[in-house]
Amino acid sequence: MQSNSKFRPLKKGGLQRWLLAFTLVIILCITGAGLFIGNIIYKETSVLHSHLGDQNMDKFRYLLEDGKKEKHSEEITITSRFGYPLSATYIPNPTSTDRTLIFLHGFTENRATGLNYLDIYLNDGFNLLLVDSRAHGDSGGNSVTWGNYEKYDLDQWVDWIGHRFPGGMIGVHGISMGAATALMHAELNEKNKRVAFYIADSSYSDFETLLASQMEQRLNLPGKVLTRLLLPYANVVAYFNSSFTFHQASPIRAVRNITTPVLYIHGEADKLVPAHMALELYNATKGPRQIYLFPHAGHVAAIFDDRDRYGGVVQNFVHSVEQHS
């Protein structure tokens, strides 16, 4: 009796081809799903929320108009080496000085945030330059890069101050993402030491680590394995769209190579960027450094938790830098 041909077993070569095709389909499905989720992560962290704080700009412009009359403040626009405009406001000290502080705001904010720190530096004899970071406020740029491109933008503001006050003292004070940008710029500063000090309030030590932790908490992902599998896809999407990766945004790698004095400030009640990241940065810093933790302060809230103490910590640090320079 002849066997029915449709029940004949597959030959070895046919089985291998079938398994290969099935494997490729699975890989393509996983890759497609990974890139889809990676694109969501990239947009949520770097595109969609960058201008959330712009509702403060109208109030800020009103204050600036008064400032122009009383303090001769100036709105400054320069062009980033990457082609987009960068905006800032320069506020001179009532007493002529060549000491200038660059203030860097956090994610979703704008230079209006710097007004909270204005008196600390004006009273200590500094001019201020309040900067809109890339993709925030009036500055251009198609995405936030968590310090990767922002550090080069900061370097151009250092150029601007250097041309205005040759040989003058320059300091940088950043909060949250601005603090991380300052620390990453400090590595660039090693070549010529144009910046005399950095103050990093509530900085993350490594953005990819922070992002993984936030994903696990907010998305209730099962364990760390899935998060670690998704992050490479988010990095691919970020690199394809904006030529950076979250892995590059790592202040802790930068501070291992810097010798410019750094003051770390952090709230121990910070639920967004845990205080242990400040300790990691402090311990990894190669050069002179100080750290001050505010026991009850949340994320970038130390100045509101105890303004007098915050101002005293900042001014004491600046004076110590001046004494040793």
Side-chain angles (χ1 to χ4, degrees):
M1 179 182 293
Q2 293 183 345
S3 62
N4 193 325
S5 59
K6 67 178 179 180
F7 294 112
R8 290 177 183 172
L10 289 173
K11 293 182 178 179
K12 185 176 181 181
L15 179 61
Q16 289 177 338
R17 286 193 296 272
W18 184 88
L19 288 174
L20 178 59
F22 179 76
T23 302
L24 288 174
V25 169
I26 294 298
I27 291 173
L28 288 173
C29 289
I30 293 173
T31 301
L35 290 173
F36 177 79
I37 298 174
N39 186 57
I40 293 174
I41 295 170
Y42 163 72
K43 287 188 174 180
E44 284 288 328
T45 57
S46 299
V47 178
L48 298 179
H49 305 295
S50 60
H51 288 281
L52 280 180
D54 286 358
Q55 60 266 27
N56 293 324
M57 286 302 291
D58 289 339
K59 178 182 177 182
F60 183 53
R61 290 189 179 98
Y62 173 78
L63 292 171
L64 287 182
E65 288 303 318
D66 284 349
K68 288 177 185 178
K69 298 173 185 176
E70 297 178 8
K71 298 178 180 178
H72 309 291
S73 62
E74 303 173 39
E75 292 193 46
I76 312 297
T77 301
I78 61 176
T79 301
S80 164
R81 68 188 65 177
F82 305 108
Y84 46 81
L86 295 171
S87 296
T89 297
Y90 172 71
I91 303 174
N93 196 281
T95 302
S96 181
T97 179
D98 64 356
R99 302 159 81 229
T100 306
L101 188 283
I102 304 173
F103 182 83
L104 304 175
H105 61 76
F107 180 53
T108 78
E109 298 177 336
N110 54 57
R111 63 190 188 271
T113 307
L115 295 173
N116 294 317
Y117 304 77
L118 193 63
D119 290 345
I120 292 174
Y121 288 103
L122 288 181
N123 292 339
D124 205 33
F126 279 83
N127 310 305
L128 278 97
L129 185 71
L130 311 182
V131 173
D132 275 344
S133 292
R134 166 189 168 109
H136 288 79
D138 292 327
S139 289
N142 65 350
S143 66
V144 177
T145 66
W146 301 97
N148 288 297
Y149 287 126
E150 289 85 352
K151 66 184 177 185
Y152 296 111
D153 294 341
L154 171 56
D155 203 51
Q156 289 185 247
W157 287 119
V158 173
D159 287 342
W160 185 87
I161 294 174
H163 287 129
R164 188 152 185 155
F165 298 108
M169 184 184 200
I170 301 174
V172 176
H173 186 145
I175 60 173
S176 194
M177 183 184 73
T181 298
L183 296 174
M184 293 172 71
H185 177 268
E187 191 172 26
L188 299 179
N189 190 56
E190 283 298 302
K191 293 181 180 179
N192 45 39
K193 291 297 185 73
R194 296 184 298 168
V195 175
F197 65 86
Y198 295 88
I199 297 176
D201 181 342
S202 306
S203 176
Y204 42 85
S205 55
D206 181 84
F207 183 72
E208 194 173 54
T209 300
L210 178 64
L211 179 57
S213 175
Q214 290 296 318
M215 287 171 61
E216 291 161 12
Q217 293 176 27
R218 297 187 181 192
L219 302 179
N220 295 316
L221 294 177
K224 297 183 179 181
V225 176
L226 184 57
T227 302
R228 293 300 175 184
L229 287 174
L230 290 173
L231 280 175
Y233 291 106
N235 278 320
V236 168
V237 174
Y239 188 80
F240 179 81
N241 284 280
S242 300
S243 299
F244 85 99
T245 66
F246 300 121
H247 178 73
Q248 292 173 302
S250 183
I252 198 166
R253 288 201 295 269
V255 301
R256 291 170 182 153
N257 302 312
I258 68 173
T259 56
T260 303
V262 182
L263 168 63
Y264 294 103
I265 297 174
H266 217 106
E268 292 188 83
D270 192 336
K271 295 182 180 179
L272 181 63
V273 180
H276 70 75
M277 285 195 158
L279 294 170
E280 291 171 356
L281 288 164
Y282 174 81
N283 291 328
T285 301
K286 178 180 179 181
R289 77 272 198 227
Q290 297 180 23
I291 188 168
Y292 198 96
L293 302 179
F294 285 74
H296 307 296
H299 188 60
V300 299
I303 190 171
F304 307 110
D305 183 65
D306 193 336
R307 186 177 184 84
D308 289 340
R309 184 178 299 177
Y310 190 99
V313 168
V314 167
Q315 290 173 352
N316 288 339
F317 170 71
V318 173
H319 297 165
S320 72
V321 171
E322 291 177 311
Q323 291 171 3
H324 291 91
S325 60

